[in-house]
Amino acid sequence: MTEEIIIAGFGGQGILSMGKILAYAGIMQDKEVSWFPSYGPEMRGGTANVTVIISDERISSPILNQFDTAIILNQQSMDKFESAVKKGGLLIYDPNGITRHPVRTDIDIYTVDAAYESSRMKSSKVFNMIVLGAFLKIKPLIDPEHMHQGLEKCLPSRHHGLIIENEKAIEKGKEIILPKYLMN
Amino acid sequence: MLDTVPITKEEICKPENLVYGRTPLMTDATLSYCPGCGHGTIHRLIMEVIEEMNLQADTIGVAPVGCSVLAYDFLNIDMQQAAHGRAPAVATGIKRLMPHKFVFTYQGDGDLAAIGTGETIHACNRGENITIFFVNNGIYGMTGGQMAPTTLPNMKTATSPFGRDIETMGNPLKITELIAMLPGTYYVTRQSVHTAANVRKAKKAIQKAIEYQKLNKGLSFVEIVSNCNSGWKMTPVESNKWMEEKMFPFYPLGDIKIPK
Amino acid sequence: MTKTKDIRLMKGNEAFAEGIIRAGCDGYFGYPITPQSEVLEYLSAQKTKERTGMVVLQAESEIASIHMVYGGAACGKRVVTSSSSPGISLMQEGFSYLAGTELPCLLMNVVRGGPGLGTIQPSQSDYFQTVKGGGHGDYKMIVLAPASVQEMYDFTKLGFDLAFKYRIQVMILSDGAIGQMMEKVELDKQLPRLTDEEIIKKYPWATTGKTADRERNIITSLDLNPAKQEIMNRKLQAKFKRVEENEVRFENIHCDDAEYIFVAYGSSARVCEKAVQLGRAKGIKVGLLRLITLFPFPYEEVARLSKQVEGILTIEMSAGQMVEDVRLGANGAVRVEHYGRLGGIIPAPEEVLNVLEETFIKTKTYA
Ligand SMILES: Cc1ncc(C[n+]2csc(CCOP(=O)(O)OP(=O)(O)O)c2C)c(N)n1
């Protein structure tokens, strides 16, 4: 098993930390992992993305331009990465703020209304965990137990009280993900 | 008529007749400085104080680039030779890792106040617990008498052959006054070694500077205004006179910052 | 996962920082620059003074950093600095002095694109500067090229060992990608820092204060007598030769039956490893020679493979620097071409495989 994932959106959406939690949970499940970010000043307010690879084998290139899964959270990233999904691959996106929806027919496309849902949950901080939950619903690569350990590793211990809230958000993401054709 | 028998050298040079000796912390190597230059005296003063304070085994010195680049040939202590201007950074590295050692740099004005200004100011400002001996001769001695940051207005050098023109070449830099303003410096003084009285004063200043380092007080800075008779194109006697008349009014001797 | 192992997800820069602490580093001196600022940040957050007694100091410039390293190294201490390309340019003066005085130390360059202020994105365009000199005079430094976060960690201990074995500078030539990415790292136990007494015993050349039982120690690169300076230079060259004879390191990936090989190091080697997988899946017999030491360079291995394969493609994020050494190794036995991206762009695996096919396979003429 090797899963090559790009997560892309605005800086401040928690993209890098979502990738980090996923990668750390991967380690807890004894996988090989890599996490390769876009970096530098462009991230502050601009676009941000991270490539996460989770694999049973030694990871070759941490830097890719073709992905099994693209998780897309703004329009610029949609324009850039829709075409980067491998044939038969997966694209998950939050339709909030998307004006040009994906059109490919050779990949599976899902939506997750995470921005809306996180405002309902009164916490913009869990936005990224809702998105992560949605992904794990379609690709259950990591067990909940290891997700929990991943969260423990990534959150400073003074924030461990927030782990439950994050796990709830992951569950919420699993509930609300929809195939794109059901969106209207 | 005198009818005494001439006295031989052997009869005079006896331990009981000794009034002044050379410190064993100076090596046997012949000094390579020009006759009349102050470096030899300054070397000896520093070594005498280190000997008197019994610090030989605890001292690490840093030689600069300049006439005193070969200071380690004359000083019988462990020494490192630094790149031009970088001695305060080198000394910082030593002192941070060997905090119980006595660490000093020995630098000229080109080294300390031109190419190494950044390293000097920042080491002083951090209050590195080191001692800087700064020999200011107003000129680049080693490379043949070019203009230094400390060269006086209208002073002739190889690169200011018509005199230092303030308009185009800038003003002489009173780096020692600048350094005295920094909170990291503890003791800042300006001395000279051109008369016996001045030598005695300079030695006291050197003693204090070393004492303060032992007490972890931060950076001590001892400037010694010195002559460069070759670079200034004068005899040693003329150069000392010129130093008194021209250098001292601009670089007045005395303590600039003393511990409260 | 065996619970006894200390495994963490870390950035390359952090792994390097943790690595030097655990390898018993005495002092780190540095100045912030993207994409390696995490090194100084990580060390500053670690309270190293309490953890191991290690000194961490933010210097006023890269010039000051490298000369602080010089001062510490001359005392026999394990000292480190790191920077990225523009800062490394400033340090060249210090590298030359460290070479001339044969001082051991560990350096790291997280390379970004140039020339000038360039870009903060990854690049490999500092190969010549690092491997062929950079500072003035005839000298070499050992150059290690990590291709993973684990190697960023592992090469700290290896680097110190080599540095003190030969009294030489060791440079870890990394890049923005390796520095910024996170991977799994297995950490070792903390090694103790040497005491001053141990240093005096192990490194009798160090300036630790002249005691009555020995002559004074002098660390200098100056000798105004050309005959003596020539002897000193010959001694240096003999040392570099010993390094070349004993310390060549590389990794062969699917080279045994290869008809074509990539030669690459660092993040480019990771890209090529993927390209090898993609090529093999298409039935192309392609392999990868991954360079681990850039000095000493594995000329002999390149020569050996040159007789086996039909083409060599070097991949480097530069206009073609390392390719010159590969051509020296191949010595005309096989065609050697270079492909690189400039200005901070990392080539994609498909892209480099495609270049290999276009260069060597599609153009092949059958007589
Ligand atoms: C980087 C560098 N630039 C220039 C020189 C040449 N150089 C050697 S000594 C010197 C001047 C030193 O003058 P100063 O510090 O006043 O000491 P002095 O010779 O007067 O004792 C210069 C410019 C050098 N060695 N290194």
Side-chain angles (χ1 to χ4, degrees):
Chain A
M1 185 284 296
T2 297
E3 179 73 14
E4 298 171 334
I5 307 155
I6 178 100
I7 311 170
F10 288 118
Q13 281 178 320
I15 282 166
L16 299 185
S17 56
M18 175 186 354
K20 185 174 171 187
I21 290 165
L22 180 60
Y24 229 134
I27 291 185
M28 303 324 285
Q29 200 162 311
D30 231 353
K31 304 284 185 202
E32 297 300 320
V33 301
S34 76
W35 175 99
F36 180 69
S38 61
Y39 62 86
E42 58 160 346
M43 283 161 50
R44 304 202 180 100
T47 59
N49 68 67
V50 61
T51 301
V52 176
I53 306 175
I54 297 180
S55 179
D56 292 323
E57 288 117 53
R58 157 168 158 161
I59 291 170
S60 53
S61 180
I63 305 136
L64 302 166
N65 67 347
Q66 294 274 299
F67 305 93
D68 300 308
T69 297
I71 299 172
I72 294 179
L73 302 171
N74 70 3
Q75 185 62 54
Q76 281 148 295
S77 304
M78 183 67 80
D79 297 341
K80 198 166 164 191
F81 292 113
E82 181 186 355
S83 59
V85 181
K86 293 179 198 167
K87 251 191 203 134
L90 171 66
L91 190 159
I92 298 174
Y93 73 105
D94 183 337
N96 180 42
I98 298 289
T99 51
R100 195 200 61 75
H101 291 263
V103 293
R104 280 180 63 178
T105 52
D106 59 345
I107 57 175
D108 292 330
I109 303 180
Y110 288 82
T111 64
V112 55
D113 228 346
Y116 172 71
E117 201 57 43
S118 69
S119 69
R120 271 193 18 156
M121 290 172 82
K122 298 205 171 35
S123 168
S124 61
K125 291 225 176 78
V126 297
F127 166 80
N128 60 351
M129 290 299 102
I130 299 175
V131 176
L132 182 58
F135 166 71
L136 289 170
K137 167 82 180 181
I138 312 297
K139 300 243 170 137
L141 304 173
I142 312 285
D143 311 331
E145 175 203 345
H146 296 123
M147 274 317 301
H148 183 85
Q149 291 170 352
L151 282 163
E152 272 180 353
K153 288 282 184 186
C154 291
L155 293 174
S157 40
R158 64 177 190 282
H159 287 155
H160 278 186
L162 300 175
I163 290 178
I164 295 182
E165 195 188 336
N166 279 283
E167 285 176 324
K168 274 190 192 144
I170 290 174
E171 289 312 309
K172 184 51 91 184
K174 289 182 182 172
E175 280 168 32
I176 65 171
I177 184 164
L178 289 174
K180 181 187 169 233
Y181 58 81
L182 289 181
M183 203 185 79
N184 41 36
Chain B
M1 270 307 286
L2 289 172
D3 53 359
T4 44
V5 189
I7 309 173
T8 63
K9 188 178 153 202
E10 284 68 31
E11 283 174 290
I12 302 171
C13 296
K14 286 182 190 153
E16 61 267 30
N17 291 338
L18 184 71
V19 281
Y20 193 71
R22 185 171 55 106
T23 163
L25 266 65
M26 291 295 287
T27 65
D28 290 335
T30 311
L31 289 177
S32 53
Y33 302 110
C34 306
C37 168
H39 272 308
T41 312
I42 305 167
H43 282 14
R44 201 194 61 210
L45 284 184
I46 298 172
M47 287 304 107
E48 278 178 8
V49 175
I50 289 178
E51 188 204 352
E52 287 158 15
M53 295 174 80
N54 198 20
L55 284 175
Q56 184 186 30
D58 288 317
T59 298
I60 302 171
V62 184
V65 170
C67 287
S68 46
V69 66
L70 287 171
Y72 51 75
D73 277 353
F74 316 122
L75 311 184
N76 192 14
I77 51 170
D78 276 7
M79 282 199 81
Q80 304 183 13
Q81 199 284 308
H84 197 14
R86 316 301 177 216
V90 172
T92 299
I94 302 169
K95 186 71 184 186
R96 291 284 178 136
L97 297 174
M98 309 277 272
H100 47 284
K101 296 286 168 187
F102 169 66
V103 179
F104 73 88
T105 71
Y106 186 105
Q107 303 177 257
D109 42 287
D111 196 73
L112 180 138
I115 195 167
T117 316
E119 286 77 6
T120 303
I121 292 201
H122 285 280
C124 290
N125 194 47
R126 283 192 301 266
E128 293 297 339
N129 190 29
I130 59 174
T131 304
I132 294 180
F133 298 113
F134 167 41
V135 182
N136 175 7
N137 58 13
I139 206 158
Y140 283 12
M142 187 192 214
T143 41
Q146 296 85 1
M147 185 177 69
T150 46
T151 297
L152 297 178
N154 302 318
M155 182 173 160
K156 287 187 178 146
T157 71
T159 50
S160 59
F162 309 108
R164 181 175 190 154
D165 171 23
I166 299 303
E167 285 285 303
T168 57
M169 301 168 182
N171 292 286
L173 180 58
K174 294 191 182 182
I175 186 105
T176 308
E177 278 78 357
L178 208 97
I179 272 165
M181 286 164 48
L182 302 174
T185 51
Y186 187 70
Y187 172 54
V188 180
T189 184
R190 185 182 284 125
Q191 303 290 332
S192 88
V193 292
H194 70 301
T195 68
N198 286 96
V199 167
R200 277 194 293 275
K201 277 193 199 159
K203 186 166 174 180
K204 286 227 172 67
I206 292 168
Q207 277 164 340
K208 277 191 205 166
I210 297 180
E211 197 55 52
Y212 292 143
Q213 185 177 147
K214 279 179 80 179
L215 297 171
N216 279 317
K217 294 293 187 186
L219 198 136
S220 291
F221 191 97
V222 181
E223 172 179 345
I224 293 164
V225 181
S226 192
N227 62 341
C228 178
N229 40 292
S230 299
W232 298 353
K233 305 204 185 325
M234 295 174 195
T235 65
V237 175
E238 279 169 4
S239 72
N240 281 343
K241 194 156 165 274
W242 190 87
M243 186 165 70
E244 285 183 343
E245 285 169 7
K246 306 281 176 171
M247 294 278 279
F248 293 167
F250 200 85
Y251 300 112
L253 303 186
D255 289 339
I256 298 171
K257 183 180 196 177
I258 47 168
K260 285 186 204 86
Chain C
M1 190 166 88
T2 28
K3 293 282 180 248
T4 51
K5 286 186 189 163
D6 188 353
I7 292 181
R8 298 192 197 167
L9 182 70
M10 295 181 110
K11 279 192 173 193
N13 287 334
E14 296 168 344
F16 170 84
E18 184 61 33
I20 62 173
I21 299 174
R22 290 191 186 225
C25 178
D26 296 301
Y28 173 91
F29 306 93
Y31 188 82
I33 184 170
T34 310
Q36 72 79 53
S37 294
E38 290 84 359
V39 176
L40 184 55
E41 289 170 3
Y42 184 94
L43 291 171
S44 306
Q46 281 298 309
K47 299 197 175 138
T48 54
K49 203 79 221 178
E50 288 158 40
R51 233 181 103 175
T52 65
M54 173 183 166
V55 169
V56 176
L57 181 64
Q58 176 167 338
E60 66 271 26
S61 70
E62 290 84 353
I63 299 177
S65 308
I66 192 64
H67 291 285
M68 290 174 185
V69 163
Y70 177 99
C75 296
K77 299 282 181 177
R78 282 173 156 62
V79 278
V80 180
T81 187
S82 63
S83 186
S84 178
S85 309
I88 296 289
S89 290
L90 273 180
M91 290 185 187
Q92 297 300 328
E93 172 188 74
F95 297 167
S96 177
Y97 277 75
L98 285 155
T101 46
E102 297 194 85
L103 292 179
C105 64
L106 183 62
L107 315 164
M108 179 177 65
N109 183 357
V110 182
V111 181
R112 61 188 244 184
L117 204 46
T119 165
I120 57 172
Q121 298 305 322
S123 173
Q124 297 179 309
S125 49
D126 294 353
Y127 181 92
F128 281 156
Q129 188 199 49
T130 318
V131 174
K132 305 293 177 189
H136 59 285
D138 267 325
Y139 76 92
K140 298 278 186 192
M141 52 171 83
I142 294 179
V143 184
L144 302 172
S148 64
V149 175
Q150 183 70 52
E151 283 186 340
M152 285 285 266
Y153 173 84
D154 291 341
F155 287 1
T156 54
K157 162 121 192 342
L158 174 64
F160 277 135
D161 289 349
L162 291 171
F164 278 88
K165 179 170 172 193
Y166 293 97
R167 273 188 74 176
I168 196 170
Q169 307 165 75
V170 175
M171 169 70 88
I172 297 182
L173 190 68
S174 177
D175 62 60
I178 302 289
Q180 290 295 325
M181 75 184 191
M182 288 203 276
E183 288 184 313
K184 175 163 138 172
V185 192
E186 188 179 333
L187 304 178
D188 307 298
K189 283 210 197 73
Q190 176 69 47
L191 292 177
R193 291 174 46 238
L194 296 186
T195 62
D196 285 358
E197 291 67 39
E198 287 169 324
I199 287 174
I200 289 169
K201 255 208 189 135
K202 275 182 104 142
Y203 313 124
W205 46 264
T207 54
T208 48
K210 187 205 167 306
T211 41
D213 57 349
R214 67 157 168 85
E215 286 301 301
R216 67 193 193 283
N217 281 341
I218 296 164
I219 299 293
T220 183
S221 49
L222 176 72
D223 206 319
L224 294 171
N225 175 343
K228 284 200 198 148
Q229 190 61 259
E230 187 180 45
I231 292 170
M232 174 62 194
N233 265 281
R234 292 224 184 281
K235 190 179 147 219
L236 286 182
Q237 293 304 318
K239 173 168 80 179
F240 303 145
K241 188 110 209 294
R242 266 186 293 130
V243 170
E244 286 192 276
E245 284 162 3
N246 296 305
E247 304 299 344
V248 172
R249 287 170 169 79
F250 55 84
E251 183 184 8
N252 278 329
I253 297 173
H254 294 298
C255 285
D256 287 352
D257 65 341
E259 290 171 2
Y260 308 95
I261 54 164
F262 293 110
V263 180
Y265 61 91
S267 50
S268 289
R270 298 289 293 274
V271 170
C272 289
E273 197 176 328
K274 178 95 185 172
V276 167
Q277 289 170 6
L278 297 173
R280 292 264 164 184
K282 281 171 109 176
I284 304 169
K285 287 191 173 165
V286 54
L288 164 66
L289 172 62
R290 176 171 84 89
L291 310 181
I292 295 173
T293 52
L294 304 181
F295 177 82
F297 190 89
Y299 290 113
E300 280 177 26
E301 182 62 8
V302 171
R304 190 185 71 76
L305 287 167
S306 298
K307 294 186 188 104
Q308 170 195 320
V309 301
E310 290 173 37
I312 295 180
L313 183 63
T314 66
I315 304 293
E316 187 184 48
M317 291 183 278
S318 79
Q321 301 191 15
M322 175 261 294
V323 63
E324 293 195 2
D325 280 324
V326 177
R327 286 195 176 123
L328 276 177
N331 201 14
V334 69
R335 203 172 129 213
V336 178
E337 297 295 344
H338 161 79
Y339 180 73
R341 297 296 301 266
L342 309 178
I345 295 179
I346 307 173
E350 294 80 3
E351 182 182 350
V352 300
L353 179 63
N354 190 41
V355 174
L356 182 103
E357 289 182 73
E358 294 287 337
T359 311
F360 294 115
I361 304 176
K362 297 203 178 132
T363 56
K364 201 156 147 184
T365 45
Y366 294 91

